[in-house]
Amino acid sequence: MSKKEINLCDAEGNTTTLPLKTGSHGPTVIDISNLYQQSGYFTYDPGFTSTASCRSAITYIDGEEGILLYRGYPIEQLAAQSSYIEVCYLLLYGELPNGEQLAKFDHIIKHHSMVHEGLKNFYSGFHHDAHPMAIMVGTVGALSAFYHDSTDITQARHREISAHRLISKMPTMASYCYKYSNGQPFVYPQNHLSYAENFLQMMFSLPSEPYKANPTFVKALDLILILHADHEQNASTSTVRLASSSGANPFASIAAGIASLWGPAHGGANEAVIKMLEEMVNSGQNIEHYIKKAKDKQDPFRLMGFGHRVYKNHDPRAKIIRNMCHELVDELGAENQPLFEMAMKLEKIALEDEYFIQRRLYPNVDFYSGIILRAMGIPLNMFTVIFAMARTVGWIAHWLEMMDDPQQKIGRPRQLYTGHKRRDYRSVVDRD
Ligand code: CMC
């Protein structure tokens, strides 16, 4: 047996030899794609905790060391020196752009930002207090009904146009959710503004008065977008890959990703963090009460914003955003202080508690991002929408990569069946 193989031996002494594969970083993987044909066995891995579902060259995470790389570049360097639009280019095309490439890409993204006027009618079909994520799932999926000219996924140019359209239109569509729920007129994009500033003006400006976004808010939002732009094969990215593996168009596939992101264990966590912190501030209960609840296995309560499936040391995004959180709260002063102080106290107590230390539960990016968004005046139910806006480029980059992969095939997991064995139908009169 060469060093690039592994032998699996069952209780009957049957041996199956499987190839090993190594990537540029990370653990060696056992290639089990022919395991069933060779041995008659499936593997069982609920939640994919030990399974690489694909090969990918976009993002690398080392959960033990707390490392996150986009196309090889450390997140710390990108957060300090890059911009969201440059990161979008990097994720999509694999390299940082030169000045000319960046200017051209920026121009393209800015000039796809308007949505078809007919799409606006969809918004008024929703109940006035619909959750904006429900509206996003519906309206992003509906884009495929408006942009037929770019949904031939066999053509690379169509794929690229769809990618640009999705990245470009997300802030416009996200702001429309907010405007609709507030009963305010939709605001058109302004192409001279940056991606983040444009979103803020579409969210908060009114036709009746001039608007200028706070530059610290623009900086903080751009940072949040960079930190959330991609995160390897998480639940929503895997959903996009699985949905589009059947040949579904990118608008429908991204809508599926948005649905997956909505859950509180994934993108909904930043909303859940603020709800939890507000309850802690307002209830008058001390923090220990909540720590006790989080540790109690009979109680479904978890400390939101703590723990991560992959990061078991620290979340590198959390460290970066924590500093921005400090900067913003210092600038804005008292109003945001109670939530922030509660977060700092909770962080300190949890990090010293044996339960959290043993299970390696650290604050994640969403523990802090919610505090920033709240300070910027973004309503709670828009938090996950902003996450979706940021992650669209990641979803799209994975979709493009998958479409170019010669090994790509429809995703079709198998199962460990635990239902009834075969049995015969009995007429209703013969049943007990
Ligand atoms: N509070 C209390 N206990 C926890 C928490 C928490 N936040 N997270 C995990 N645990 C416990 C869990 O009960 C289990 O304990 P035991 O071993 O005694 O049964 C142990 O830690 C391992 O938990 P797990 O659920 O098996 O871990 P997982 O990798 O499946 O889940 C997680 C990861 C993020 C879903 C989970 O930690 C969680 O629910 N955290 C709170 C929600 C949250 O902040 N989500 C945002 C994730 S970051 C954004 C993103 O990338 O989408």
Side-chain angles (χ1 to χ4, degrees), residues 265-266 269 297 302-306 308-309 355 359 364 366:
H266 191 8
K297 293 290 160 219
R302 281 187 164 194
L303 275 194
M304 297 316 288
F306 275 77
H308 198 275
R309 168 59 63 79
Y355 173 95
R359 289 168 182 75
N364 57 49
D366 289 327

Side-chain angles (χ1 to χ4, degrees), residues 133 136-144 162-163 165-167 170 236-237 239-241 243-244 248-261 388-389 391-400:
M133 283 298 275
M136 288 300 280
V137 172
T139 51
V140 172
L143 286 177
S144 46
S162 294
R165 279 184 169 149
L166 273 156
I167 295 165
M170 284 300 273
S236 57
T237 303
T239 301
V240 169
R241 279 186 179 260
S244 52
N249 75 66
F251 303 109
S253 302
I254 298 300
I258 295 173
S260 166
L261 187 75
M389 197 168 104
R391 184 57 58 84
T392 295
V393 67
W395 292 329
I396 282 287
H398 283 270
W399 172 69
L400 290 171

Side-chain angles (χ1 to χ4, degrees), residues 21-30 52 60-63 232:
K21 288 195 163 140
T22 38
S24 42
H25 271 312
T28 297
V29 303
I30 306 169
Y60 174 69
I61 301 173
D62 184 332
E232 209 224 57

